[in-house]
Amino acid sequence: MIPGVLVLSAIVLSIAALLGWRYLVGARRPGYLALTEYWVYTGAENLPEQTALMDRMVGANPHNRRGFACVGAREGMIFSDIRLHMGLARRSKNPTSFRPDLFESLAAPTKEVLEGLAASSSLIRVRYASQAVLTDTRQLQFMPHLADAVAELTGGTVVFDQVMERLWTAEEFHAALNEKPNCERPDFHVQVAWQEQEDGFYLQTRGLRKVGWPELLSGPHDQDHEVLMRGLMTRLAFHIVRRPAETGPFEFDEFDDTFVAEVGGWHEGKKQLTWIRRQVKG
């Protein structure tokens, strides 16, 4: 009898584990990857203690407001999510990670950022990567507060949003969260770059990978179309962050015309956009 009970218990536990795995990880889709990653530059020799980190993010979070907890039960589930990773890299073994001249062109360091990088002997990487389709964007709230907590607990000097390609001093990052502690919003996670190439000007997004989208590329455009196209591209990027399940085409009204964005094939690791302008008849 006892062996049968053990076998039954093992089966129940296996089913429970499978259901738990599916709940946390969900169904994978080929080619899908949602990635949010921050690098916190610091002089620490070790990762912060987990209990202190959780307390700083939840109950002792300085960005909490009356009636609003920055990290509640919804976001707190990520603490035990297997897709969350944290690791420490030392400057001595990873020197190129401390070289701003080797970063992407959008990550332009300020004098204060350069000073912070020079004073750092290590970096702590916090990363949330999912190959399963995400059903919400709670990671956009959790991960910035995690990076801020790591910076405070380890005396961090610089925070690098590796996906958005933005560098902050730790003080600037902390102040941004203090001003608007709700980070689950597009303007905190994506940006649009206007860059000149040989055949014209191009727009590129940075940050859409956080919600499982590839980055987008639009162009070539004439230089005098920068304001119009930058505005449209920003609206599109913000729309995708809010509704990542949509696939397009996407329509936007601007200057009494309708602009349609269609997502095409791959180009240099990004998805090419085609914009169609439809004049509205008066």
Side-chain angles (χ1 to χ4, degrees), residues 73-151:
R74 173 177 176 266
E75 298 81 18
M77 292 181 64
I78 296 179
F79 279 120
S80 59
D81 195 322
I82 61 174
R83 294 168 290 189
L84 176 66
H85 303 273
M86 186 182 305
L88 184 144
R90 304 185 191 282
R91 178 195 287 267
S92 59
K93 296 183 178 180
N94 302 270
T96 58
S97 297
F98 294 77
R99 292 269 307 275
D101 57 308
L102 299 180
F103 291 172
E104 294 289 343
S105 58
L106 295 190
T110 63
K111 175 178 176 291
E112 292 75 17
V113 165
L114 290 174
E115 292 173 350
L117 291 173
S120 302
S121 59
S122 60
L123 69 84
I124 295 174
R125 184 180 73 170
V126 293
R127 187 173 190 260
Y128 185 79
S130 177
Q131 291 179 297
V133 178
L134 298 176
T135 57
D136 57 44
T137 57
R138 71 185 72 183
Q139 80 281 2
L140 300 185
Q141 176 69 4
F142 181 90
M143 294 300 289
H145 284 277
L146 174 59
D148 183 58
V150 169

